[in-house]
Amino acid sequence: MDLLSEMATVTAAANFDTDSDCQILRKAMKGLGTDEKAIVDILANRSNAQRQELKVKFKASFGRDLVKDLKSELGGNFEDTVLAMMDLPAVFDARCLKKAMKGIGTDESVLIEIMCTRSKAQLAAMKAAYKAAFGKDLESALESETSGDFKRVLVGLCAGGRDEGTGVEEGKVQEDAEALMEAAKGLGTDESEFQRILVTRSPLHLRAVFKAYEQIAGKTIDDTINSEMGGSLRKAYSTIVGFFQHPMEFFADQLNKAMKGLGTDEDHLIRIIVSRSEIDLGGIKAAYALKYGKVLEGAIASECGGDFKNVLVTLTSATVTPAANFDKDHDTQALRKAMKGLGTDEQAIIDVLSSRSNAQRQELIIQFKSSYGRDLVKDLKSELGGHFEDAILALMERPHVYDAQCLKKAMKGLGTDEDTLIEIMCARNNAEIKAIKEAYKKEFKGDLEKALASETSGDFKRVLIGLCTAGRDETAAVNIEKVREDAMALQTAAKGFGTDESEFQRILVSRSKEHLKALFDEYEKLTGKAIEATIKSEMSGNLKTAYLTIVAFFRSPVQFYADQLQKAMKGVGTDERQLIRIIVSRCEVDLGHIKTAYTAKHGKSLAEAIKSETSGDFRKILIALVGSP
C-alpha cells in the first residue's frame, strides 16, 4: 500500500442516482427554511467525483447553480465545510493557498501543510487550478509572499520534482544520510543539502534515510532540524519528515493541534477532514485514537456544534472503506498462501478481508477463480470454523444476499427468529428491501413475502408484509400539517378499548424518516407521553417489538444499532449471530458513529466490550472491522 494512502472514510455511493439526489437537495433549499440534515446526508455520503456530477445535474434539472444555492442557504463554518466539499480537491487546495497569502501577513503554516504533503500529481493539478481561478502562477505567488531558504523550499516543492518510485537503493540511502550529517556540521548549516534531499527524494527512500541518519549521527533528523534551523524553514522540514515518516500520525497531530486549548481552528479542521476523507482519514482516526486515547468523532463533537459538527462527524463515520491501491493479484496470492498446505494463516486472512470493501471482496472472488481455478468462498469454508467462519463468510456476501440468507435462516426449521426478521425488515430502505427480495428469490427459489406470510401471523404478519412492499415515502421534505394529522390519528387509534393497529401500520410503515421523526415529537406534545409508551401499553409480543424497532431506528439509527450490540452481549451468553450481522452490515455504512454512541451510552468502547465477550480469531476479525478503541 502507498505511504500516502491507507483508508478513506468517504467513498463513492453505490447505486448513485443524480436525479434523486438533486431533487432532495432542491427540496432541502426550497421555500422557507433549509433542511440542513438532508444536505449533510447527501453530500457527506458522496465522493467528490459524484458531487461534481450533482452540480451538473442540478443545473440541467433546475437551471440553478447548486454551489450558489448552498452558499445562499447556509452560513458559518457549516457553509465553509460544504463549499469545500463541492470544490475539486485541487481547487480547494488552491483556494486555501490563496486565502493563506491574502491581505497583510501570510499564514505560513497553511502553505507548509499543503505544499509539503501533496504528491506530484496533486501539485500539478493544484498549480493548474490556481492559474485558472486567480490568473497567476502559484510559484510566482509563493515567491512574492515568502523569502530566503523558506521561499526556496516552497518553490522547490512547487516544481513537483519529487521521485515517486518504490525502489530503495541502500548505497544512495547511506550517501544521503552522510550528506545531511555533513551539512549540519560546524558553524552554520548547509540548508541547500537538506532541500536537495528532502524535497526531491521518494517517500520510501526518505524513510530509509531517516533511519540511517539516526544510526550514524546518534540522533534523529528531527533533532538536527530543531537545533539547526528556525522559523518557517524549520516547520517546513519538520513537516516533510513527520509526514513521510508517519503520515497518519502527522495528520492526527494536526487535528489535535486544531482542537487543543482555548478555541478551535475551524479552518484547519475543515481543511484536513475534507481533503483526507477520500484518502486516508480512516488511518488518521486510528492514529488519533491510539495517540490521544479518544475517538476523533467524539473530540470533534466536543469542540464543534450544530450542523458544522454533524457534517464533520459524518465525513469521519465508516470503519471499513475501499483499500487504496487495491491489488487483486497480490491479495489473492496472500489468501492462497494463507490456506495452502498444512495449517491456516488466519491472521493473513483477517488482514486482507477486513480492510477491503465489499465490492473489492467480490473482485477477489473472481480473481481467485481466474488465478487458481478455485472457489475462494469454498476454500475459506473448508479452512475455517465456528463463529470466525460465520463472520468471514458474511463478509464475502453482497449485503442484500447476506440479508436474504439471514432471513432464510431465521425462518428455517421449527420456530421462527422474529427478532432477526424485525431487525432486518424494519431497518432497510426501499432499494435495500427490493434487492433483498430479488436475492431471496434467486438464492432460495421462493418469494420473500410468501415466506414471511407463512411463518408469521396476525398484525405482526401484516406489518412485515407491509414493509416487504418497499413502499415507504423517502422524500426529505416535511409537511407539518400532515405530521399533526398523523399524530392525531395515532392518538385516536389508541383511545378507548382496544387499539386500531391498522392506523399504526398505515403511518409507521409508509411515512418518510423525516416525517416520522417530526411525528414522534408532535405526538408527545399532543398526548403528553412518548409514542414508545403508547406502543408498550397498547400492544404486545412481536407486534410491539416491531413498532418499537421502527420508532427507535427512525429516531436514531446509530443509537438503535448501539443498543442492539449491547443487547447481543448483555447477560449470560453472547448472541454471536447478531454481533456478526450488525458489525458486518454496518461497517461500510455508519459503524464509526455507532461506536461513538455505544461509548457515550455504555461507558466503554465497543472494541473493549467485544474483547470481553469473544475470543480467538472470531474476536480478531470483529476488532479488525470495528477498529481499536
Side-chain angles (χ1 to χ4, degrees), residues 61 78 99 137 179 252 311 479 488 583 588:
S61 299
F78 179 51
K99 188 176 179 182
D137 285 331
V311 71
N479 183 321
M488 291 170 70
I583 289 171
E588 292 184 59

Side-chain angles (χ1 to χ4, degrees), residues 398-411 424 435-441 443-444 448:
R398 291 186 182 278
H400 54 280
V401 175
Y402 177 56
D403 276 346
Q405 290 175 350
C406 289
L407 290 169
K408 179 68 175 176
K409 199 169 189 177
M411 295 185 281
I424 293 174
I436 292 167
K437 286 160 69 176
E438 288 175 17
Y440 192 94
K441 194 171 188 73
E443 289 276 309
F444 307 113
L448 177 58

